[in-house]
Amino acid sequence: MRLRQGLFIIALLLTHCIMGQDIEKNILYLAGVPSMEMLDLSDIEKYYELKSRPVRINFSSREKLLSSGLFSPYQVASVLEYISENGEILSYEELSLIDGFSKDFVSALLPFISLDYKGKPGSLEQKSMNFKGTIISNISTSNKIGYGTKIKSTLGQSLEVGLSARSIDLKVDPIPKQYGGYFVFRNEKIKSKILIGDFNARFGQGLVLWTGFYIKDYHRPLSIIKRAMSVTPSVSFSGGTCRGVAASCEFGNLSLSIFSDFPVLKYDGMSKIKCPVVSSQSVNTSLYFRNCQIGMTGMVESGFNGIYNSRLSIDSRACINGTDIFGEVGYDILNRQVAVIGGIASRLSDNVLCAFSTRYYAPEYGKMSCYKTLTKINDELGAVFACETKYLDFSVDYNSMLTKKLHKLSLFMGKLYSLNKNFRSDLRLVYKSNLLRKENRVDCRGDLIFERGKLLCKVRANLVYTGDYSSLAYVESGYIDSSKALYLRGTVFFADTWKSRLYAYERDAPENFSVSTYYGRGYSLAMYGNIGFKTGKFSSIKLYIKARITAFPWSVNHTYKSLLRFQLIYRW
């Protein structure tokens, strides 16, 4: 037993060293998706922010743990109960023994959490008024020259401020037109916070409100159940989803969140369509028990012509003997339409995790909502089953649009295999079909990854069939250590039609997200690197560079396009 615990601790330390340099595997595990191409900028920014400012498990409230998006209500309840009964968590191995925390899950959490405790040398608890922050500045050029700056700072656990500004075309807009920011005040004694500025709001399973990004393809069991984050500040380069005033507080096991959002304040002169909603008011109240949580969410959206949308929902999530049961029922008061989602996730054995969910969204449910483009929750009937096993992960997702009589089927199979201590392979097959229109897409992809010490090499082959064939292949090599990294990639692609286009994630500076779309016949050469320096005991500076050129010598138009980006991050 001691030998197994010792080996687990060693594995965690090794994983921590590696993941400190490359957190892609951690992000994919926690997000419940098989590839980075399925995420977006706001989600990537969240994980990089957590990496730079990890969640302090021993000193975080329930609201802080839930708003991180890393934990389910049951996991939060387990941690808080354990700390209350046994004192602070002193090691990652101890965390893995808490109900709801598997060893794989703890390994995935490593870059995003810390186990500071009272009396630990350097513990931030001894410096409750510690002033810290981050400044991020970048400039990039392709066909346009753009720049952006982001500032985030905190004063202890009470105050937090964030500001961002970006111009996507320096010649047209030398002064940024895209901007954002927030101010947060927290009172830990009465467990409350007030937020002014940009924020995201995510409650239940999203039938009333789930702003920002959400997983559209259910390839893994973890992607089927959404993790509500309540109200969280946003200072994304992609812009905050809500802009207004929010407040939340806790009364024992009861939490209350209330906020007003003013979509008209988000118009920056670059959007083609203004939202007709002038303001929206929302409230959520949730009651937390040891093994379950029950919540109610209401929202009213109004404009100069009256009320556009009014919705109410009740959601619940429970964990019984390791089995998660979740559901939400929403009602559109104006349209008298209903939406329902529910499901179950259970670990059948140490190596088998399965989840099933079904959903029904009435045709007119939430149709007039200003947030409808962000959460597709109308005119759909569907079900999904996903399973992870030791040798294969697979999922089946079927949905139909009720009014248009469209039926879609999506199948996924894949697995990441460890061939030996240096080699891994990642194989996956995705099949999507519009059954009535007889439109099919078959996407077959294989990666071979070599890692040894500070060296990495990755080879990919991707073949897509949509009636026409398209293909992509690349070779990537990299050198990574604690203060610097360098990656080089060469890609060749052939895609003669737009519907057979291919996607591939590329490494980029933190809080930037690059998923290239390949269409045509050509090649691409890319380079990404970073180097960091300590400027003081608690401060550091890091420089990032990203360069890419894409040429189309085998297409009708022998064109090319390029990208060059510099980014500087200073932390104190």
Side-chain angles (χ1 to χ4, degrees), residues 417-434:
Y417 299 96
S418 295
L419 305 178
N420 57 40
K421 66 178 182 179
N422 298 127
F423 284 94
R424 292 180 290 117
S425 66
D426 189 358
L427 306 175
R428 65 196 59 181
L429 174 68
V430 179
Y431 170 76
K432 293 185 177 182
S433 175
N434 188 321

Side-chain angles (χ1 to χ4, degrees), residues 76-88:
V76 171
S78 294
V79 166
L80 295 179
E81 182 182 84
Y82 183 90
I83 294 175
S84 175
E85 295 179 355
N86 302 281
E88 296 164 325

Side-chain angles (χ1 to χ4, degrees), residues 220-232:
R220 295 277 170 81
L222 286 178
S223 67
I224 291 179
I225 309 177
K226 293 184 175 71
R227 291 177 184 157
M229 299 170 60
S230 185
V231 177
T232 56

Side-chain angles (χ1 to χ4, degrees), residues 462-474:
N462 192 182
L463 180 65
V464 170
Y465 176 74
T466 59
D468 298 302
Y469 286 99
S470 60
S471 59
L472 175 147
Y474 72 66

